[in-house]
Amino acid sequence: MVKLIVTDVDDTVVPEGGSALNPEYYEVIRECRRRGILIGVASGRQKPCVKKLFEPVLDKIFILADNGTDIWEKDYKTSMAIADEDYQKMAKEVRERCPGHAIMACRPDMGYIEYGEEEYYETMRAYPYDLEYVEDAAELTGICKVSVWRKEGVDPQVAAMMQERWSDRMDVCLAGENFLDFTSKGCNKGKALSMIQEHYGIKPEETAAFGNADNDIPMLERAKFGYAVGNASENLKQTAYEVIGEVGEDAVLKKIKEILEKESCPGGTGR
């Protein structure tokens, strides 16, 4: 029996940066809740951005925002920050060692981008993110997630270098082609999902999860039924229980409908 469903957002249920969700998702979410299935969204996006996309059903879902470091549910809320010293040192290294890349540092509910990085700022405003400009991102404290961005795509050499230098203290992973994300070690979508599962007494074998990028791997590892969309990274596809259709085909919507149908059919796994 599936008791919990969670999905990524960008390039999973909407195209990267998309701000319009197929309205059928709202009815499917309502149907899940009518049947007692907990359903939520796990995203690299900040919480206010996710709330805007799912506004019609906010009372029906939980949110694992900023790669799971900002957990929001009506009965359970918490966040997980990077150690200030680690964050500040890493932010300085991006400036000094990663030419052409820019930082967005996120606290729950707000993102910060340096003056001079207007293209990055406008890119994230289109999601739409809540943002402020700062003079020096490396002076910030209380940061839960960092997204290093490059318009042409993250340089593979930069990704490899930063993973080698920081993976002992942070989770460092690609979130699509343009973003390299940093969170405190072990604080990711998988950790956040495990906290929701523990809070509600739901097992991984009762969980279905959907994703597209490497930052979804820890989440799919916490779900027996882990689905990678057809446009997913090869690493995620290797982790997945099943590879389904692509984001442009509303593959996640179709699979959730299949799960609901199976749960309700005589002889199926449902009640």
Side-chain angles (χ1 to χ4, degrees):
M1 180 188 299
V2 172
K3 296 182 178 179
L4 188 158
I5 297 172
V6 61
T7 184
D8 175 51
V9 176
D10 288 288
D11 273 344
T12 302
V13 298
V14 296
E16 180 67 42
S19 58
L21 187 67
N22 183 334
E24 281 192 68
Y25 275 104
Y26 303 136
E27 186 49 44
V28 165
I29 288 169
R30 295 185 184 104
E31 182 61 24
C32 286
R33 296 304 298 129
R34 281 194 288 266
R35 300 194 190 190
I37 298 172
L38 193 65
I39 187 162
V41 180
S43 178
R45 297 190 187 202
Q46 63 175 191
K47 184 169 67 218
C49 184
V50 176
K51 283 184 172 182
K52 290 168 189 173
L53 192 61
F54 288 87
E55 185 174 6
V57 289
L58 277 182
D59 61 333
K60 309 294 184 186
I61 65 171
F62 64 87
I63 296 172
L64 312 179
D66 281 324
N67 276 353
T69 61
D70 182 14
I71 301 172
W72 178 90
E73 204 271 342
K74 63 180 181 179
D75 297 323
Y76 184 66
K77 300 174 179 66
T78 190
S79 62
M80 299 174 277
I82 301 170
D84 290 340
E85 182 179 357
D86 285 344
Y87 159 70
Q88 291 169 351
K89 184 176 179 181
M90 182 272 291
K92 291 176 182 176
E93 283 196 7
V94 172
R95 181 185 302 141
E96 295 167 0
R97 305 179 66 138
C98 307
H101 296 69
I103 276 183
M104 178 176 64
C106 298
R107 294 173 179 152
D109 299 335
M110 186 59 67
Y112 302 89
I113 293 176
E114 291 181 336
Y115 287 106
E117 300 294 348
E118 286 76 11
E119 191 167 17
Y120 191 11
Y121 186 96
E122 294 303 325
T123 295
M124 301 314 297
R125 283 291 298 161
Y127 274 70
Y129 262 60
D130 289 350
L131 295 171
E132 292 181 2
Y133 278 119
V134 293
E135 292 287 349
D136 185 355
E139 294 183 353
L140 296 169
T141 59
I143 298 302
C144 61
K145 188 199 77 170
V146 176
S147 285
V148 173
W149 174 85
R150 182 171 176 256
K151 181 180 179 181
E152 300 81 10
V154 174
D155 185 329
Q157 292 183 337
V158 166
M161 176 188 69
M162 296 303 284
Q163 286 170 334
E164 180 180 357
R165 292 181 62 80
W166 288 100
S167 60
D168 62 331
R169 281 166 285 178
M170 298 186 197
D171 282 0
V172 185
C173 60
L174 289 166
E177 295 181 358
N178 301 93
F179 300 93
L180 184 66
D181 285 355
F182 299 74
T183 57
S184 186
K185 189 69 177 178
C187 298
N188 50 47
K189 293 182 182 183
K191 173 66 173 178
L193 176 56
S194 72
M195 293 166 73
I196 291 289
Q197 288 169 326
E198 182 177 353
H199 182 74
Y200 286 99
I202 297 174
K203 301 174 183 178
E205 49 267 38
E206 299 170 323
T207 303
F210 299 86
N212 81 295
D214 287 7
N215 65 337
D216 295 314
I217 291 174
M219 180 173 71
L220 265 64
E221 290 175 339
R222 290 291 307 176
K224 176 180 178 180
F225 305 103
Y227 298 100
V229 290
N231 49 282
S233 71
E234 289 304 315
N235 289 335
L236 189 71
K237 288 178 179 178
Q238 292 175 14
T239 301
Y241 169 83
E242 182 182 338
V243 178
I244 59 175
E246 299 194 357
V247 59
E249 303 166 353
D250 279 329
V252 174
L253 180 64
K254 293 173 183 176
K255 179 56 69 172
I256 295 175
K257 287 181 177 180
E258 287 180 18
I259 291 170
L260 290 172
E261 183 177 357
K262 183 177 181 181
E263 293 291 310
S264 63
C265 284
T269 60
R271 288 167 285 185

